[in-house]
Amino acid sequence: ARGPVIAIDGPAASGKGTIGRALARHFGFAHLDTGAIYRAVGHAVRMAGDDPADPAAAEAAARALTPGQLDDPALRGEAAGAAASVVAAIPGVRAALLDFQRDFAAHPPGGAPGAVLDGRDIGTVVCPDADLKLFVTAAAETRARRRHLELSRRGDRVTEADVLADIRARDARDAGRTAAPMVRAGDARLLDTTEMDIDSAVAEAIRLTEDAL
Ligand code: C5P
């Protein structure tokens, strides 16, 4: 039988990635940032000079994806995030990436005793039987402030207003699409980090996980 699976979903810059990494470290589980998969596909399509909205180009990039592509620092930028949310709306792209994500949950790399996956549809589509589901969210303005700080530290010269506009556009696209829209699963615990610093958010997530496992 598989080990415990923790599903974390939520919008851009909500803190779900940081929480996922921290939970994985705390419990000795493997962690998969599924956003990186969609970012890698969006980035590959852009680099090939194709349109991320072109289903044939995006599906070919999804089928050709290799784990080595997930470490590219370019994936963290706003352009890759925006392209990710465009390719992510294409059903054939999502279908092509499903097995990789489910295999990770069922057989975590390195023989880890459990897996943490974070994304938009982990609790609803990828791992509906997860042992714990968290939906991590925060006010859009708060998320824009955090994301802007992170981008500025990387030397990315972008205004906070642009980041907020981008986050709003991405939220609308992710929640409004037909294929696996971003939605809180009925059995997901809500973790609103608007008024929390990262340490308290992680502590709360650890508490919820200890309760669930
Ligand atoms: O989480 P992150 O911001 O890296 O995700 C980038 C984009 O990838 C999201 O805006 C979303 O469109 C897409 N995504 C998705 N399903 C997931 C993870 C990410 O559609 N499980």
Side-chain angles (χ1 to χ4, degrees):
R2 65 161 175 80
V5 173
I6 302 173
I8 308 180
D9 292 302
S14 57
K16 65 184 187 309
T18 308
I19 290 170
R21 263 191 310 280
L23 282 183
R25 200 179 311 119
H26 185 87
F27 292 98
F29 295 171
H31 174 234
L32 181 63
D33 163 11
T34 66
I37 302 175
Y38 290 92
R39 286 170 181 267
V41 173
H43 183 65
V45 173
R46 288 183 72 234
M47 290 302 107
D50 292 322
D51 179 358
D54 171 6
E59 286 174 33
R63 279 192 297 269
L65 188 76
T66 60
Q69 284 170 258
L70 303 181
D71 300 323
D72 187 339
L75 301 189
R76 300 324 311 165
E78 285 299 275
S85 93
V86 174
V87 301
I90 301 168
V93 168
R94 307 199 70 85
L97 301 175
L98 204 50
D99 282 350
F100 179 83
Q101 299 173 82
R102 287 189 174 152
D103 278 352
F104 188 99
H107 311 285
V116 181
L117 285 80
D118 74 72
R120 301 291 186 292
D121 64 336
I122 309 303
T124 50
V125 175
V126 178
C127 303
D129 299 328
D131 300 86
L132 172 68
K133 300 179 185 179
L134 295 178
F135 194 82
V136 182
T137 187
E141 292 77 7
T142 306
R143 292 186 281 125
R145 200 177 325 118
R146 290 175 186 162
R147 183 80 180 131
H148 179 250
L149 197 66
E150 179 190 333
L151 290 168
S152 307
R153 285 206 186 106
R154 287 174 16 127
D156 226 325
R157 289 169 52 84
V158 54
T159 69
E160 192 173 314
D162 281 347
V163 175
L164 178 59
D166 196 75
I167 276 184
R168 289 216 159 102
R170 207 127 70 81
D171 284 356
R173 202 150 51 216
D174 291 347
R177 69 186 176 216
T178 318
M182 171 176 71
V183 61
R184 177 185 170 190
D187 52 354
R189 303 291 305 261
L190 185 67
L191 190 53
D192 185 329
T193 67
T194 307
E195 304 290 337
M196 283 182 174
D197 60 22
I198 191 61
D199 290 343
S200 5
V202 167
E204 177 65 6
I206 289 176
R207 202 184 59 72
L208 291 169
T209 307
E210 279 167 348
D211 281 356
L213 301 187

